[in-house]
Amino acid sequence: MYNFDQEPERRHLVDEAGLNSFLSKIYGYMALAVFVSALSAYLTMTVFASQMMSLMVHHPWTMWLLLLIPIVLTFAINFQTTRNPVASFILLMITAIVYGVTFAFIAGTYTGQDIASAFVASATVFVVMAILGTVTKKDLSRWGSYASAALIGLIVAMLINMFLKSSAANYIFSFIAVIIFTVLTAWDA
């Protein structure tokens, strides 16, 4: 057994090849989850559209269930990650399907061009910031705490704006959210 107390300077060594392999694997899982969500959304709005609309009309609480299930699944994934990676992967795919179904109903109010533009823009920002956060030599640890604090402030402001109903504030909050999540993506990577 190696005693790190004998050589404290070795504690900070990182196996870069192993880290890059791990990050590639994680990003691959996330890409698969996004694909599964997109496929679920597509199938929900095309092949199963009449069944899903009928379900929503006859059981309006179903939308609340679709919004709450991912929260429960996220906690289950966090609990299962180290105990059972296969179960975590299955829960991730179930979460992706539920998000796909949920987003299908939200996306039903927008055109295909709007959705494609939003997807391409957000995917591009995510990929660029993930790469930047992975390869940069700069310490981004402080950025994460600032962005997390800003995210909490944004959520509070958005909750207040639910009562004020200011479209101008919603527009400004959209830009702020993009900046916050861009910083959080770079920090997290």
Side-chain angles (χ1 to χ4, degrees):
M1 188 164 100
Y2 186 79
N3 186 355
F4 280 106
D5 293 330
Q6 293 174 353
E7 296 181 55
E9 66 278 356
R10 292 193 61 170
R11 276 189 251 171
H12 299 291
L13 295 179
V14 175
D15 176 18
E16 287 187 33
L19 180 61
N20 287 338
S21 172
F22 172 77
L23 288 174
S24 296
K25 185 176 174 182
I26 294 300
Y27 290 142
Y29 287 149
M30 290 310 299
L32 177 62
V34 169
F35 174 75
V36 167
S37 290
L39 181 63
S40 300
Y42 175 77
L43 292 174
T44 298
M45 293 311 287
T46 57
V47 177
F48 302 109
S50 62
Q51 294 92 337
M52 294 306 292
M53 291 303 166
S54 175
L55 179 68
M56 291 297 160
V57 168
H58 291 87
H59 305 287
W61 52 267
T62 306
M63 193 61 180
W64 284 106
L65 190 63
L66 285 173
L67 293 172
L68 293 176
I69 286 175
I71 296 169
V72 173
L73 288 171
T74 300
F75 284 118
I77 291 169
N78 286 336
F79 180 73
Q80 287 292 325
T81 301
T82 56
R83 291 174 181 79
N84 190 344
V86 173
S88 293
F89 178 77
I90 292 168
L91 290 171
L92 175 63
M93 292 302 112
I94 293 170
T95 303
I97 291 168
V98 171
Y99 273 129
V101 171
T102 304
F103 290 139
F105 288 104
I106 295 169
T109 61
Y110 297 96
T111 67
Q113 184 178 1
D114 291 338
I115 296 167
S117 297
F119 177 77
V120 168
S122 59
T124 302
V125 168
F126 175 80
V127 168
V128 168
M129 294 313 293
I131 290 170
L132 178 69
T134 302
V135 301
T136 188
K137 301 295 182 207
K138 185 173 180 161
D139 180 18
L140 301 178
S141 58
R142 295 181 116 192
W143 289 27
S145 58
Y146 294 142
S148 297
L151 179 60
I152 292 169
L154 178 65
I155 291 170
V156 170
M158 289 173 78
L159 288 172
I160 292 170
N161 195 47
M162 283 175 53
F163 300 105
L164 299 176
K165 298 180 181 173
S166 168
S167 59
N170 276 338
Y171 191 72
I172 293 168
F173 292 160
S174 298
F175 283 106
I176 293 170
V178 167
I179 293 167
I180 290 171
F181 283 105
T182 300
V183 171
L184 283 172
T185 301
W187 166 74
D188 199 31

